[in-house]
Amino acid sequence: MTIIDKTMSVPGPRGGSESDGPLLEVRDLHVEFHTRDGVAKAVNGVNYTVDAGETLAVLGESGSGKSVTAQAIMGILDMPPGRIPQGEIRFRGEDMLTMSNEERRKIRGQKIAMIFQDALSALNPVLSVGYQLGEMFRVHQGMSKKQAKAKAIELMDRVRIPAAKERVNDYPHQFSGGMRQRIMIAMAMALEPDLIIADEPTTALDVTVQAQVMDLLAELQQEFNMGLILITHDLGVVADVADKIAVMYAGRIVETAPVHELYKRPAHPYTRGLLDSIPRLDQKGQELYAIKGLPPNLTRIPGGCAFNPRCPKAEDICRTDVPVLHQVSEQGGGEIAGRGSACHFWKETIHG
Amino acid sequence: MPDTSSTTLTATEETAAAPADVVKTEQRKPRSLWGDAWFELRHRPMFWVSAILLVILLLIAAFPGLFTSADPTKGDLTNHFLSKPELTHFFQPDWFGYDGQGRSIYARVIHGTRNSILVGVGVTAAVTFLGGLLGMLAGYFGGLIDSVISRLTDIFFGIPFLLGTMVVLNAFTDRKVYVVVLALTFLGWTSIARVTRSSVITAKQADYVTAARALGASTTRMLFRHVMPNALAPTIVVATIALGGYISAEATLSYLGLGLSEPAISWGIDISEASKAIRDNPHALMFPAGMLTLTVFAFIMLGDAVRDALDPKLR
Amino acid sequence: MAELNKGDEPMDATPNVSEVDASGAAATESAAVEAIEAPVERGEPILQVRNLVKHFPLTQGIVLKRQIGAVKAVDGISFDLYQGETLGIVGESGCGKSTVAKLLMLLEKATAGEVYYKGQDITRLSGRALKAVRRNIQMVFQDPYTSLNPRMTVGDIIGEPYEIHPEAAPKGDRRRKVQDLLDVVGLNPEYINRYPHQFSGGQRQRIGIARGLALNPEIIICDEPVSALDVSVQAQVINLMEKLQDEFNLSYLFIAHDLSIVRHISDRVGVMYLGKMAEIGTDQQIYDHPTHPYTQALLSAVPVPDPEAREGRERIILTGDVPSPANPPSGCRFRTRCWKAQDKCSTEVPLLAVPERFKGADTPAAHESACHFAEEKDVVHAA
């Protein structure tokens, strides 16, 4: 059995040209929050990489640390109470955590952009949409007002907002939820970044609109060959667009897999439980499988595997030893590319 | 570890929740939001400084006799101004010296505390009651009641506070504490009414109020059981912070000769009198003014601490 | 439970209303109370909604208010809820499904239409009879964080129904009853003195359910009861609700936007669009044999957690957004987004009825659908 915990995501010897490595690499990231009730360990050693043109879906429930990781990458964590005691976030090989604020600001917005769940609160209600879109060009590229506005209209057209020319001077509240999310996407796309982080981009939208927005996002991603980190709790949304998935639980990645693999044969009891607990649209099931218990309190994460109190397979070792992310292999022994499971009993889970 | 045999649904949640909860119940018993606020408060040095100051001030106000035996109204012209403060004569009548009519400044400062605190607490209580009631009615019932009360609030808010109070007080010749309290309340209730109204509007939209309504709860039950407890925090905060302001308002009015009238003892009156001889005898001004500042400071600090504890978002 | 042929009954017919004059005296009120307390056979209609309308007036001006229009949140819907069944109501935001819940709970006054509970029109009741209805129809709210009063203990929250309806439980019994309820919903009875913020979302929703059960109601209206919960906790709550339904013989009106969950829990499903019912039938009729284009689009848009099944499915991606309910399109409200729309759709409002072409046919497609061009199309299963 090969252990791929940290070593797996480490690229070859350093010093190679920048374009060789992955676009973004998160290495052993830890984030904690100091609260009155103690230290909440929100992220406990996360590793992942995203390449250009690739979509990584980070799947997890509330409190799994999926959004906190993204905020750490964007550098928009509230510090304090937040703190990053260790870890690296490498963008094109450079560690963003050690660079100066100035350098970091240059990356944020221009190279890495973010899309939020709640577009209404992410847009400034007193400025027109056109002004906010144009701002990107005025500030970062020094365009004139007129040029910026033309650019804004172009962007609104790109994200297929009907009658962009007439609506460029409208305010955010005058748009519907789906349209606002498109504006958010337009804003993120404005400077043609290399990486987009989308935090629950469609959760607040209706199903019929969700599909439109996800399609748009996927299309733009392909066109610009961007990396995309899609953060979500919805197994359905992930299945549609992701290339690879990282499942998070209590601040750790418990399973990584290419999208098809994960749904066919989950290698972690948590993933399996999640998949079994969603009702099916195409058939009427019997009683739903329910993962027992609750997600752990981040100030008191259980010892050993954090999932052990809720796990049907838990044994003594799970209460004492933290499982590393094991390389998952076929029954015959052949490694399955890109698959890892942080479970002591991954073999039994995937094959048994 | 919980037993693994219990697989029924009733037990599922418990089995996993148990390990974490064992710890939880040990270190914290049921904790209400008020309890949380008290916990926050207890951990603020600012709260303790102001609390100690206020306890001393309240003691002075309640039992001035404990602090001085001198009569604050008895003037002995042999002492007239000339004797300077004897800063080592702790708690003696001549500790802070004597004023222009030969009265012990120390005794006057001590005896003046009661009136200042009475005015401050009295106005705050009256304003909170009146403004709170009107704000609650306007916020909860809305419609015509809201329109009438809100316009009334706007009208009263438009009258300059001190000027209006002076005009009212001018109509009285014998101005006792309750007269000053009523006069300040007359124009002072508006900000409390506004704050209460908006917090009641927020609270009444909560789902738990809807839930109570769906159960068929009476208006009184919804108002006093659900809306009021959840709308109270901002009102308390505004009232505590305003308290210090009312005390200084009373001093201001007394200074202008429109506050309490003699023979009532008030820091404002003393400041007014001392200001006439400020060049030669600054100490006569310093002590009442210092006490006033200290009192207002203590209340404002308390207000700040209470706000931080009750409404962490405002910080 | 609700059989297929139920849908064939004409909806517009006034249900068997016991002849009670709403404005009557105490005697009629007693009669109403009696009717409300009478048991209903399993499978019989317990709640009948007829042409229910709710328009929220849009006004202008502060002092002199002038009505300039109305948001037609619910615009004439009719359906039956049978004893012991779960009727799911699905639709996108703004379709009026939550307003329906509020109207049935008498939290909003209906603009027009009737809601018959055991033959009594509850929109016209008052006094004792209204109180009796309130006891029997309870609600579970969407957001477990705002539906519990943060300043009350769990015991006070679950016990509040007994204080409002003191006849339901003698004073000495209440504490024990509350502890029993906590046990029933899977919480430790010792938590009775804790406050809501000491619980997680799923646990809070259990507390909300316990409050709903306290008065032993017959109907529970669930407005998005699990949509605020984490996936792994959703299943727990859904299972709990199913268990309670059997245990306490409850009828559920289950309002949600998640089509998979609605299918799982519902016996029958109604699809709403812009204040109107687009299609209603058994779960199998709606999911496997939808005939209304909106239902088809809705179903096809649901992301399915199975990439392979996904690829075989036909996807209908609607263009545009839901129009404003203040100014809904003429004729069929879905026509502005419908790929089948023709002239007829803009002039004639399609009625909710079994489509002519399926009438009398023994096919699952023969269920009520408000479309001029109803046509069966399976969008859920891979081709």
Side-chain angles (χ1 to χ4, degrees):
Chain A
M1 164 161 59
T2 329
I3 291 169
I4 53 163
D5 192 19
K6 285 176 206 169
T7 41
M8 186 181 171
S9 50
V10 178
R14 238 180 284 165
S17 80
E18 276 185 9
S19 51
D20 284 350
L23 183 63
L24 180 88
E25 181 185 0
V26 176
R27 223 188 279 184
D28 196 28
L29 184 73
H30 288 68
V31 181
E32 53 191 38
F33 292 93
H34 292 259
T35 69
R36 204 178 65 198
D37 296 325
V39 178
K41 300 201 160 140
V43 179
N44 305 297
V46 160
N47 298 284
Y48 59 61
T49 59
V50 188
D51 291 323
E54 187 181 46
T55 302
L56 165 73
V58 181
L59 187 82
E61 300 181 88
S62 53
S64 63
K66 59 187 195 300
S67 294
V68 175
T69 312
Q71 285 166 6
I73 295 170
M74 279 305 282
I76 52 171
L77 265 184
D78 283 331
M79 302 203 271
R83 218 169 70 81
I84 302 180
Q86 56 173 306
E88 289 171 22
I89 300 172
R90 297 185 165 276
F91 181 73
R92 295 197 181 284
E94 272 184 273
D95 188 0
M96 297 207 288
L97 292 177
T98 52
M99 59 175 64
S100 71
N101 279 340
E102 193 52 41
E103 284 176 294
R104 191 141 195 211
R105 204 165 47 233
K106 272 190 193 143
I107 292 181
R108 190 191 312 157
Q110 292 195 55
K111 303 281 179 203
I112 308 181
M114 190 156 175
I115 298 169
F116 298 91
Q117 173 180 348
D118 183 1
L120 188 57
S121 65
L123 292 167
N124 187 338
V126 300
L127 298 175
S128 78
V129 160
Y131 183 89
Q132 293 184 63
L133 283 169
E135 196 170 19
M136 309 291 287
F137 299 106
R138 286 195 309 276
V139 173
H140 289 283
Q141 298 181 352
M143 280 190 189
S144 75
K145 258 194 169 160
K146 210 171 162 191
Q147 279 174 308
K149 192 170 201 171
K151 268 282 195 188
I153 294 170
E154 198 186 307
L155 270 176
M156 285 169 75
D157 270 331
R158 277 229 52 108
V159 294
R160 287 188 229 113
I161 291 174
K165 219 174 205 146
E166 287 88 70
R167 302 210 67 183
V168 69
N169 289 324
D170 283 2
Y171 291 86
H173 69 268
Q174 292 170 290
F175 290 85
S176 68
M179 287 301 150
R180 277 198 293 263
Q181 202 57 309
R182 284 164 193 268
I183 293 165
M184 282 284 294
I185 293 174
M187 222 158 177
M189 294 293 175
L191 302 173
E192 299 181 13
D194 300 330
L195 176 71
I196 287 211
I197 302 176
D199 191 354
E200 306 265 11
T202 59
T203 306
L205 305 177
D206 283 320
V207 228
T208 54
V209 182
Q210 251 178 29
Q212 301 169 4
V213 171
M214 273 328 292
D215 276 8
L216 173 72
L217 199 56
E219 185 194 305
L220 290 171
Q221 182 210 3
Q222 265 182 2
E223 191 179 320
F224 294 104
N225 196 31
M226 291 179 304
L228 174 66
I229 301 180
L230 179 71
I231 295 161
T232 181
H233 70 277
D234 190 328
L235 286 146
V237 169
V238 176
D240 277 0
V241 291
D243 297 314
K244 59 182 190 184
I245 299 186
V247 182
M248 284 188 74
Y249 186 81
R252 274 173 200 282
I253 290 180
V254 294
E255 178 163 9
T256 57
V259 68
H260 284 251
E261 283 278 331
L262 186 93
Y263 290 88
K264 232 189 310 177
R265 337 177 262 179
H268 194 283
Y270 174 64
T271 320
R272 159 151 291 182
L274 275 186
L275 285 168
D276 288 348
S277 66
I278 16 181
R280 304 267 310 198
L281 188 67
D282 51 358
Q283 65 196 47
K284 186 137 185 142
Q286 296 304 305
E287 192 183 344
L288 286 176
Y289 173 81
I291 302 177
K292 62 184 183 181
L294 302 168
N297 183 330
L298 294 177
T299 57
R300 283 183 291 274
I301 296 177
C305 169
F307 187 60
N308 83 68
R310 306 177 71 188
C311 184
K313 287 195 161 64
E315 293 189 19
D316 285 345
I317 185 177
C318 304
R319 287 170 203 122
T320 50
D321 294 13
V322 179
V324 294
L325 196 68
H326 301 278
Q327 166 71 53
V328 172
S329 51
E330 292 291 357
Q331 225 146 4
E335 288 186 2
I336 310 174
R339 289 212 66 170
S341 165
C343 176
H344 293 297
F345 301 101
W346 65 267
K347 271 186 194 158
E348 290 80 346
T349 309
I350 188 170
H351 302 304
Chain B
M1 272 294 126
D3 65 321
T4 42
S5 60
S6 50
T7 46
T8 59
L9 202 132
T10 322
T12 45
E13 180 132 352
E14 293 323 303
T15 40
D21 272 330
V22 175
V23 193
K24 218 195 239 168
T25 34
E26 272 168 6
Q27 45 174 238
R28 42 174 190 166
K29 290 280 165 214
R31 209 167 68 185
S32 69
L33 288 186
W34 295 120
D36 269 2
W38 173 229
F39 179 92
E40 283 281 333
L41 214 50
R42 276 192 330 234
H43 286 75
R44 287 173 191 284
M46 201 164 76
F47 166 71
W48 288 111
V49 173
S50 66
I52 290 166
L53 273 174
L54 289 176
V55 166
I56 297 171
L57 283 167
L58 287 176
L59 267 180
I60 296 176
F63 312 104
L66 284 179
F67 296 84
T68 178
S69 51
D71 184 344
T73 52
K74 203 175 122 215
D76 179 352
L77 286 177
T78 50
N79 288 331
H80 163 83
F81 268 153
L82 302 169
S83 29
K84 297 292 176 201
E86 299 290 343
L87 290 176
T88 48
H89 292 190
F90 294 107
F91 305 111
Q92 298 304 312
D94 59 353
W95 190 13
F96 295 166
Y98 292 88
D99 68 4
Q101 292 169 57
R103 295 174 300 195
S104 157
I105 292 179
Y106 174 59
R108 287 192 70 80
V109 164
I110 289 293
H111 282 269
T113 310
R114 178 182 289 178
N115 283 335
S116 285
I117 301 246
L118 271 181
V119 168
V121 173
V123 176
T124 306
V127 152
T128 309
F129 177 76
L130 183 68
L133 187 72
L134 288 174
M136 198 161 79
L137 292 177
Y140 187 78
F141 292 103
L144 188 66
I145 298 181
D146 183 24
S147 298
V148 171
I149 295 179
S150 294
R151 292 299 85 75
L152 198 69
T153 315
D154 290 346
I155 292 168
F156 273 82
F157 195 76
I159 305 172
F161 179 59
L162 267 184
L163 181 64
T165 313
M166 277 156 62
V167 171
V168 173
L169 281 171
N170 210 15
F172 294 86
T173 42
D174 182 19
R175 294 181 295 271
K176 294 200 164 44
V177 169
Y178 77 90
V179 175
V180 177
V181 167
L182 287 180
L184 285 169
T185 308
F186 181 65
L187 291 177
W189 58 273
T190 50
S191 49
I192 296 264
R194 286 182 163 188
V195 167
T196 311
R197 175 179 173 271
S198 62
S199 62
V200 163
I201 287 176
T202 315
K204 83 165 178 182
Q205 287 164 348
D207 276 352
Y208 52 79
V209 180
T210 315
R213 204 145 65 87
L215 279 168
S218 62
T219 305
T220 22
R221 163 172 282 274
M222 286 193 287
L223 205 51
F224 291 104
R225 185 97 207 196
H226 294 286
V227 174
M228 208 172 82
N230 287 291
L232 216 51
T235 310
I236 293 176
V237 169
V238 171
T240 335
I241 292 177
L243 209 158
Y246 297 133
I247 291 178
S248 53
E250 182 273 327
T252 312
L253 290 168
S254 298
Y255 177 85
L256 295 169
L258 284 163
L260 297 173
S261 42
E262 300 248 29
I265 304 161
S266 157
W267 297 333
I269 298 175
D270 289 0
I271 292 171
S272 163
E273 281 187 12
S275 63
K276 292 169 194 158
I278 189 167
R279 292 186 60 173
D280 301 320
N281 299 289
H283 67 275
L285 176 72
M286 232 164 62
F287 291 104
M291 266 308 256
L292 174 68
T293 312
L294 199 67
T295 311
V296 172
F297 170 71
F299 276 110
I300 287 179
M301 214 160 50
L302 178 77
D304 270 356
V306 167
R307 183 198 59 200
D308 286 355
L310 283 183
D311 202 347
K313 272 167 274 164
L314 283 178
R315 223 175 286 157
Chain C
M1 213 157 288
E3 270 105 44
L4 281 187
N5 53 25
K6 288 245 169 65
D8 296 340
E9 288 168 22
M11 265 294 189
D12 324 63
T14 309
N16 307 328
V17 184
S18 39
E19 290 302 320
V20 180
D21 181 6
S23 60
T28 52
E29 188 174 272
S30 300
V33 172
E34 212 165 280
I36 285 159
E37 278 163 7
V40 171
E41 287 291 310
R42 200 173 173 81
E44 290 295 309
I46 188 166
L47 199 69
Q48 293 161 294
V49 176
R50 292 293 174 269
N51 300 315
L52 197 61
V53 175
K54 178 69 192 177
H55 290 182
F56 293 99
L58 288 172
T59 55
Q60 216 170 38
I62 300 167
V63 184
L64 293 170
K65 288 198 171 112
R66 195 159 54 84
Q67 187 169 340
I68 54 163
V71 174
K72 297 177 178 112
V74 175
D75 210 10
I77 65 163
S78 304
F79 61 84
D80 286 351
L81 175 68
Y82 299 101
Q83 207 287 326
E85 77 161 347
T86 301
L87 172 64
I89 303 274
V90 291
E92 297 177 281
S93 56
C95 74
K97 55 190 195 300
S98 288
T99 309
V100 170
K102 291 212 173 87
L103 289 170
L104 300 186
M105 289 305 295
L106 302 171
L107 291 167
E108 295 279 0
K109 212 173 144 31
T111 310
E114 299 91 37
V115 177
Y116 297 98
Y117 169 66
K118 296 183 182 172
Q120 301 288 319
D121 181 2
I122 61 172
T123 59
R124 265 165 250 246
L125 290 181
S126 62
R128 221 150 50 85
L130 178 67
K131 231 178 165 187
V133 171
R134 290 224 189 260
R135 267 188 68 169
N136 283 330
I137 309 181
Q138 293 291 320
M139 185 160 178
V140 172
F141 290 83
Q142 168 175 11
D143 185 348
Y145 290 88
T146 62
S147 61
L148 308 177
N149 187 337
R151 312 241 174 223
M152 282 163 77
T153 63
V154 167
D156 287 342
I157 289 169
I158 301 175
E160 187 168 36
Y162 299 131
E163 283 181 35
I164 296 168
H165 300 269
E167 71 284 358
K171 237 184 170 135
D173 255 9
R174 289 180 194 163
R175 198 181 158 82
R176 194 185 48 74
K177 281 207 160 197
V178 169
Q179 287 181 324
D180 286 350
L181 282 167
L182 279 172
D183 189 50
V184 162
V185 298
L187 290 171
N188 188 339
E190 284 161 29
Y191 291 171
I192 188 161
N193 287 324
R194 293 200 179 182
Y195 288 86
H197 66 274
Q198 293 174 293
F199 294 90
S200 69
Q203 290 175 317
R204 285 172 185 226
Q205 202 55 304
R206 286 169 193 257
I207 296 168
I209 292 171
R211 172 176 60 191
L213 287 175
L215 296 172
N216 220 342
E218 294 181 277
I219 300 175
I220 295 190
I221 292 170
C222 317
D223 188 4
E224 305 262 12
V226 296
S227 59
L229 306 178
D230 271 326
V231 184
S232 75
V233 179
Q234 274 184 1
Q236 292 175 359
V237 173
I238 291 285
N239 284 344
L240 171 70
M241 292 185 68
E242 291 190 312
K243 185 193 82 155
L244 295 173
Q245 180 166 38
D246 293 343
E247 212 166 289
F248 296 94
N249 198 18
L250 299 165
S251 314
Y252 285 149
L253 186 75
F254 194 96
I255 296 168
H257 70 273
D258 186 320
L259 289 127
S260 310
I261 288 176
V262 168
R263 166 154 217 187
H264 177 82
I265 198 164
S266 304
D267 302 302
R268 289 190 309 130
V269 178
V271 182
M272 280 185 74
Y273 186 78
L274 265 185
K276 291 247 186 223
M277 195 69 89
E279 187 169 4
I280 188 166
T282 64
D283 75 283
Q284 191 210 0
Q285 287 171 338
I286 298 293
Y287 284 77
D288 299 341
H289 308 275
T291 62
H292 195 289
Y294 176 62
T295 313
Q296 292 160 359
L298 201 59
L299 286 170
S300 85
V302 175
V304 173
D306 182 351
E308 278 165 25
R310 168 48 118 199
E311 277 150 25
R313 277 175 60 195
E314 184 187 347
R315 290 222 293 169
I316 306 165
I317 295 197
L318 291 179
T319 49
D321 288 310
V322 185
S324 156
N327 189 17
S330 65
C332 173
R333 302 200 162 181
F334 183 58
R335 71 177 166 85
T336 51
R337 299 172 79 195
C338 184
W339 64 96
K340 285 189 192 170
Q342 298 183 16
D343 289 348
K344 186 183 182 187
C345 302
S346 61
T347 51
E348 244 177 85
V349 179
L351 295 175
L352 183 68
V354 179
E356 208 56 55
R357 55 192 296 192
F358 298 123
K359 238 176 210 158
D362 186 21
T363 149
H367 58 270
E368 290 173 274
S369 172
C371 177
H372 293 305
F373 306 101
E375 200 174 12
E376 194 184 332
K377 181 174 199 165
D378 183 3
V379 289
V380 168
H381 301 268

